[in-house]
């Protein structure tokens, strides 16, 4: 049982480049989330999808877009990467807002 | 505004010793509180969950307590092992349609041999 799978695990981008982080879950969860984690800041919510077909902004959405492709997949896109977006990105899923999260293993992104 | 504050920010202990991590929250109305363990380079993994009616929950050497009146929780680790070195994150969920729990910033625990 894979749980939450994120790709890629590592990525280096030049300022201004674009890329999409992929996330897929196989637990039939309704809700999916994208977080970024920076030293001393904890996990901060970028975007979330409470159910298939819906997406909403989180705490730090600027510079990002998301797509809930189907119930399994939730992608995060950086249209024009900036050094401030250097971070570790985690995708998570849950059955509901009060249920526990299952996290992916993260994508370490560096923007130079 | 819903907030979760954790203390200490970091902690160093010797292998075999016990330790207690603290979590204070202002999330309302309260639904549940979870403690997660995050190993370096990995995603967080749930350790315990407590609802309003529960005041203690154990998972092996990890024991979480909850005081809903004072809005405080603690995570006690007994007989620490090197593998306990990790970040421990307190997460509180509200009742009533909110899909977004509130995360603390975590306590970084280092266990030395």
């Amino acid at each position: 049982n894979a749980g939450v799978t994120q790709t890629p695990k590592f990525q280096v981008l030049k300022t201004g480049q674009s890329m999409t982080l992929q996330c897929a879950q196989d637990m039939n969860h309704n809700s999916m989330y994208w977080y970024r984690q920076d030293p001393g800041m904890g996990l901060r919510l970028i975007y979330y999808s409470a159910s298939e077909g819906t997406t909403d902004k989180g705490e730090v959405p600027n510079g990002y877009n998301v797509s809930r492709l189907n119930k399994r997949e939730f992608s995060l896109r950086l249209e024009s990467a900036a050094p401030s977006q250097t971070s570790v990105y985690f995708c998570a899923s849950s059955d509901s807002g009060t249920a526990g999260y299952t996290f992916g293993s993260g994508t370490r992104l560096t923007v130079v | 505004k819903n907030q979760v504050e954790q203390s200490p920010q970091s902690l160093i202990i010797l292998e075999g010793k016990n330790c207690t991590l603290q979590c204070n929250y202002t999330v309302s109305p309260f639904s549940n509180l979870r403690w997660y363990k995050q190993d370096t380079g990995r995603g967080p993994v749930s350790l315990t969950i407590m609802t309003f009616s529960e005041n203690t929950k154990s998972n092996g050497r990890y024991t979480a307590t909850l005081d809903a009146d004072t809005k405080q929780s603690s995570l006690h680790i007994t007989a620490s092992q090197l593998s306990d070195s990790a970040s421990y994150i307190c997460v509180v969920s509200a009742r009533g349609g909110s899909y977004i729990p509130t995360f603390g910033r975590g306590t970084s625990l280092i266990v030395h041999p």
Side-chain angles (χ1 to χ4, degrees):
Chain A
N1 195 349
V4 177
T5 303
Q6 290 184 237
T7 55
K9 292 188 182 301
F10 300 93
Q11 183 72 48
V12 179
L13 290 179
K14 293 182 179 179
T15 298
Q17 286 185 320
S18 62
M19 78 162 296
T20 299
L21 280 63
Q22 306 287 351
C23 175
Q25 53 94 4
D26 62 2
M27 296 166 288
N28 203 36
H29 284 168
N30 291 314
S31 305
M32 298 185 72
Y33 312 82
W34 276 106
Y35 285 85
R36 61 178 289 174
Q37 187 174 40
D38 303 292
M41 297 297 294
L43 286 154
R44 292 184 293 168
L45 182 66
I46 304 171
Y47 270 94
Y48 67 101
S49 171
S51 60
E52 187 179 356
T54 69
T55 59
D56 285 287
K57 295 178 180 179
E59 181 185 356
V60 288
N62 291 342
Y64 305 95
N65 285 299
V66 291
S67 295
R68 183 74 182 267
L69 304 170
N70 48 55
K71 192 170 186 179
R72 289 187 63 247
E73 299 173 288
F74 189 38
S75 62
L76 178 71
R77 183 161 178 82
L78 287 70
E79 291 291 350
S80 179
S84 61
Q85 294 178 305
T86 293
S87 187
V88 181
Y89 291 84
F90 287 99
C91 177
S93 70
S94 71
D95 213 14
S96 69
T98 55
Y101 281 15
T102 300
F103 284 88
S105 57
T107 295
R108 185 173 294 276
L109 175 67
T110 302
V111 183
V112 297
Chain B
K1 180 180 178 182
N2 291 334
Q3 288 188 313
V4 175
E5 301 288 340
Q6 292 187 242
S7 62
Q9 187 173 0
S10 62
L11 182 62
I12 301 173
I13 62 174
L14 291 175
E15 186 179 13
K17 298 296 186 182
N18 303 336
C19 68
T20 300
L21 314 181
Q22 301 290 344
C23 173
N24 296 338
Y25 62 92
T26 60
V27 176
S28 182
F30 177 83
S31 174
N32 62 63
L33 184 148
R34 293 177 185 269
W35 283 93
Y36 286 80
K37 179 187 180 189
Q38 184 177 20
D39 293 315
T40 301
R42 309 291 293 271
V45 175
S46 181
L47 286 175
T48 64
I49 175 176
M50 286 181 293
T51 59
F52 186 88
S53 59
E54 298 173 300
N55 55 23
T56 188
K57 185 71 70 75
S58 291
N59 179 357
R61 294 179 297 100
Y62 300 101
T63 299
T65 64
L66 173 66
D67 186 334
D69 291 332
T70 62
K71 298 186 177 180
Q72 296 180 326
S73 176
S74 64
L75 181 68
H76 186 75
I77 304 175
T78 304
S80 61
Q81 300 177 357
L82 299 179
S83 59
D84 293 330
S85 295
S87 179
Y88 292 86
I89 304 170
C90 177
V91 182
V92 184
S93 293
R95 281 187 287 111
S98 169
Y99 287 94
I100 309 304
T102 303
F103 282 69
R105 294 189 177 186
T107 292
S108 176
L109 174 66
I110 298 174
V111 181
H112 279 313

